[in-house]
Structure formats: structure tokens, C-alpha cells
Amino acid sequence: QVQLVESGGGLVQPGGSLRLSCVASKFTFNYYAMGWFRQAPGKEREGVSCIGRGGSTIYYADSVKGRFTISRDSAKNTVYLQMNSLKPEDTAVYYCAGTQWSTPQAMCVTGRGDYWGQGTQVTVSS
């Protein structure tokens, strides 16, 4: 059974940093575009950043450009999201997803994901 397991969330002060990790198991990681999505209470899920299978094609939502960095390590079947200069509006549950059937931009914009993790809470507050 395919599993995506996120970790790294927590409580951080505004301006702080966190690094999220998502470990994938029981699927061929290199065949999948991977992405990070978030959902805040009362809001729709948003595509934050998505990365192509080779790692060279990357999409960022305008709200996180210049602050967040996505990367992937095929040897570890892991995708990361480095989050810097965090703001209170970044508070949300962050989900990892993977899809074989989409470009990174399309994945993030449409929310296309074949597999999803359970989510990790990120809270930015003083």
C-alpha cells in the first residue's frame, strides 16, 4: 500500500523557519511529480509548491515565492519543503501528494494528486 508520511510541522514564531519532509513508500518515486498543499481552517486547499519527476521543473504559488524551497531526494524517496520567513498566514495543515499524470504547475493549480499524506500542522504565531 502506497504511503506518504509528512513530518516537520510545529509551532514557530513569525519570521522563523521550518523544513517539512515527506517520505514515500511502496511506489516508484521517480515516476511521480510531487507537491505540497495546505489547507487553513475555513479555506480551500491551496497548491503551495510542486516539483517534477526530474527535479528541474518547479512551481511555486505567488504567496510563497522567495520564501519556500521545494526539493526532492530520489535516494531517500523524500520530498522537502524548506519554509523561511514564515508568516501567520502560512498557518495551515500541510499535505504531501504525488501524481504520475500532471506537470508541476498543473498539479499545484488543479490539486491533482493520486496519493496523499495525512498532513502535518504548521502554526506561525508569537
Side-chain angles (χ1 to χ4, degrees):
Q1 183 177 349
V2 171
Q3 277 194 312
L4 299 177
V5 180
E6 302 99 332
S7 61
L11 173 64
V12 64
Q13 292 187 341
S17 298
L18 283 174
R19 187 174 84 153
L20 305 182
S21 299
C22 171
V23 180
S25 60
K26 311 232 173 134
F27 76 7
T28 308
F29 185 72
N30 289 343
Y31 288 0
Y32 286 76
M34 301 296 295
W36 287 96
F37 297 77
R38 66 186 180 188
Q39 188 164 22
K43 294 190 175 181
E44 291 189 355
R45 186 174 63 199
E46 172 191 20
V48 174
S49 182
C50 295
I51 186 168
R53 288 176 284 183
S56 59
T57 305
I58 291 174
Y59 170 87
Y60 292 104
D62 287 344
S63 57
V64 306
K65 277 181 183 174
R67 300 188 299 122
F68 290 11
T69 302
I70 192 171
S71 61
R72 62 190 294 162
D73 184 338
S74 295
K76 297 181 179 179
N77 279 13
T78 301
V79 60
Y80 303 98
L81 186 68
Q82 178 67 44
M83 305 187 295
N84 298 329
S85 303
L86 282 161
K87 304 175 181 180
E89 52 264 42
D90 294 318
T91 295
V93 178
Y94 283 71
Y95 299 91
C96 169
T99 181
Q100 280 190 289
W101 309 115
S102 189
T103 64
Q105 180 171 350
M107 181 184 185
C108 265
V109 170
T110 64
R112 172 72 185 262
D114 301 328
Y115 301 105
W116 292 85
Q118 82 290 346
T120 185
Q121 176 70 47
V122 172
T123 303
V124 185
S125 175
S126 55

